[in-house]
Amino acid sequence: MKKSIITGINGQDGSYLAELLLEKGYEVHGIIRRSSSFNTRRIDHLRNKPNFYWHYADVTDPVSISTLISEIKPDEFYNLAAQSHVKISFEIPYYTGQVDAIGTLNVLDAIRSHSPKTKLYQASTSELYGKVQEIPQKETTPFYPRSPYGVAKLYGFWIIKNYREAYNLFACNGILFNHTSPRRGENFVEKKIVDSLVDILYHKKTDCFSLGNLESQRDIGHAKEYVEGMWRMLQQDQPEDFVLATGKTHTIRSIVETTARILNVDIEWEGTGINEVGKNKETGEIMVKVDPKYFRPSEVDLLIGDATKAKEKLGWTYSMSLDEILREMVNERIK
């Protein structure tokens, strides 16, 4: 039986990945960062599954990571732990660097020292491309990160390549473009849009909600399909870096419109710039406002990926459209 360790197992990707690996017969060990509040809701349904375990540790604590790796000696290690919110990374840049950059180094060094045959997957990000130098973006596109998060992940990307070449480790980067699901964190934009519109129309919890740059364009897939790509990367004979993306973009504005349409509401826009609002066309009720506090200090306007390499070498494909993903998220929120 193969053994795996997943950091960030209680996040969106970690929970889907844990389910996938258990289905494939793995022994799954999850790493959870200790919190004073319960933060395991995404994996509580796995607690009593055979071959599923979780441990309290932190990638910023090299002792705890080294201890687990030396004891378990996993066949595969998936490093999904991160401070992953781009806007928040401007507010806590030091912490973001400690988790996303130095945390990756701590994992690498523990594997090198205690379990050098372990295959390592590093969760990289399309935010590496930032101020894009090429459209669409692929594995050879130059990086230009535009946030402390992107910069920290850039260190993680290059330290993976460095250890791979210096110590002959099986370590690879998955450059994943945006992916979402009903398990997405509440402060990420597409989840915020779905939850807010459902709450306005079904639960009457709020009158309206605020967003930042409505014209920002993102390439968005379903997290469950993307974790399949992570696993496929570690099944290769040689480690390589791969982009996972749909190759299609959607503006924040269109995500609002599509979600509202799923809820049988048409959005009508009025005003310009920070004075623009989205109204319920039938009632005239303001549902969406633009608030400057949600703009990033340096914007990333367009991210669209080219996953040709992953399709050809890994046999990875995606199937769910954004409309299908948003419908799933809406139905889950309505429950």
Side-chain angles (χ1 to χ4, degrees):
M1 178 181 293
K2 283 187 175 181
K3 297 180 181 180
S4 65
I5 293 179
I6 305 171
T7 64
I9 196 169
N10 52 334
Q12 169 189 252
D13 292 6
S15 63
Y16 282 120
L17 180 60
E19 290 173 350
L20 176 70
L21 296 181
L22 287 170
E23 288 172 4
K24 292 183 178 296
Y26 281 65
E27 179 177 298
V28 176
H29 296 263
I31 292 179
I32 298 174
R33 181 171 55 86
R34 176 70 176 91
S35 171
S36 59
S37 58
F38 291 110
N39 60 350
T40 60
R41 60 182 174 81
R42 295 183 183 93
I43 55 172
D44 281 340
H45 65 292
L46 301 177
R47 293 188 72 160
N48 297 319
K49 293 275 188 181
N51 305 316
F52 179 74
Y53 312 90
W54 74 48
H55 313 265
Y56 288 103
D58 196 314
V59 294
T60 64
D61 174 13
V63 174
S64 66
I65 296 299
S66 292
T67 299
L68 283 175
I69 288 175
S70 63
E71 290 178 352
I72 297 169
K73 293 195 177 345
D75 297 280
E76 298 171 6
F77 192 110
Y78 296 85
N79 186 34
L80 311 185
Q83 191 303 99
S84 58
H85 197 283
V86 176
K87 178 67 166 62
I88 292 173
S89 76
F90 285 97
E91 301 171 22
I92 50 172
Y94 177 82
Y95 175 75
T96 301
Q98 287 296 305
V99 177
D100 298 3
I102 303 306
T104 303
L105 175 62
N106 290 338
V107 169
L108 272 167
D109 222 38
I111 288 174
R112 179 181 69 87
S113 300
H114 302 292
S115 187
K117 292 185 179 181
T118 294
K119 292 184 173 183
L120 172 62
Y121 170 84
Q122 165 66 8
S124 198
T125 171
S126 59
E127 291 289 334
L128 294 179
Y129 299 116
K131 188 175 181 180
V132 298
Q133 306 297 294
E134 180 181 33
I135 299 173
Q137 297 90 54
K138 52 183 180 290
E139 291 82 4
T140 56
T141 301
F143 298 134
Y144 196 138
R146 298 267 283 171
S147 65
Y149 169 73
V151 172
K153 281 293 190 176
L154 184 62
Y155 176 92
F157 178 92
W158 282 109
I159 200 65
I160 287 285
K161 287 179 73 75
N162 180 258
Y163 268 56
R164 181 167 73 205
E165 295 170 2
Y167 302 111
N168 198 32
L169 296 181
F170 192 112
C172 60
N173 292 287
I175 308 172
L176 272 56
F177 281 64
N178 286 48
H179 46 286
T180 191
S181 73
R183 301 181 189 179
R184 185 71 151 150
E186 287 79 3
N187 58 352
F188 289 91
V189 66
E190 65 280 355
K191 186 69 161 65
K192 177 181 178 180
I193 290 168
V194 168
D195 289 358
S196 297
L197 287 173
V198 170
D199 286 349
I200 290 170
L201 295 167
Y202 277 79
H203 303 145
K204 310 299 181 185
K205 289 183 178 180
T206 183
D207 295 327
C208 67
F209 64 102
S210 299
L211 296 171
N213 182 6
L214 296 174
E215 305 310 325
S216 178
Q217 299 179 65
R218 293 293 183 269
D219 182 325
I220 305 175
H222 196 292
K224 191 170 186 177
E225 297 185 325
Y226 281 48
V227 300
E228 170 78 22
M230 299 177 189
W231 175 78
R232 286 175 179 257
M233 290 181 207
L234 297 195
Q235 310 316 305
Q236 303 305 296
D237 293 331
Q238 298 297 325
E240 295 184 62
D241 306 321
F242 291 90
V243 163
L244 298 186
T246 70
K248 301 176 182 179
T249 59
H250 310 271
T251 64
I252 303 305
R253 183 189 303 276
S254 71
I255 296 173
V256 174
E257 293 170 347
T258 301
T259 304
R261 190 165 55 251
I262 291 168
L263 291 162
N264 299 312
V265 171
D266 288 329
I267 296 290
E268 185 175 53
W269 302 96
E270 290 185 4
T272 59
I274 62 172
N275 296 314
E276 187 170 15
V277 297
K279 294 183 175 181
N280 183 324
K281 188 175 181 179
E282 182 179 348
T283 66
E285 173 189 5
I286 294 176
M287 306 183 77
V288 188
K289 294 181 178 179
V290 173
D291 190 330
K293 78 177 182 179
Y294 293 112
F295 283 81
R296 301 180 186 180
S298 51
E299 284 289 338
V300 173
D301 296 318
L302 171 64
L303 292 174
I304 177 170
D306 179 353
T308 299
K309 180 182 176 183
K311 291 173 183 176
E312 292 179 349
K313 288 200 168 186
L314 303 178
W316 177 82
T317 58
Y318 72 94
S319 63
M320 291 187 70
S321 67
L322 183 60
D323 184 275
E324 291 172 316
I325 296 168
L326 292 173
R327 285 182 185 277
E328 180 187 12
M329 295 171 70
V330 165
N331 291 336
E332 185 66 26
R333 183 66 176 184
I334 288 173
K335 288 180 182 178

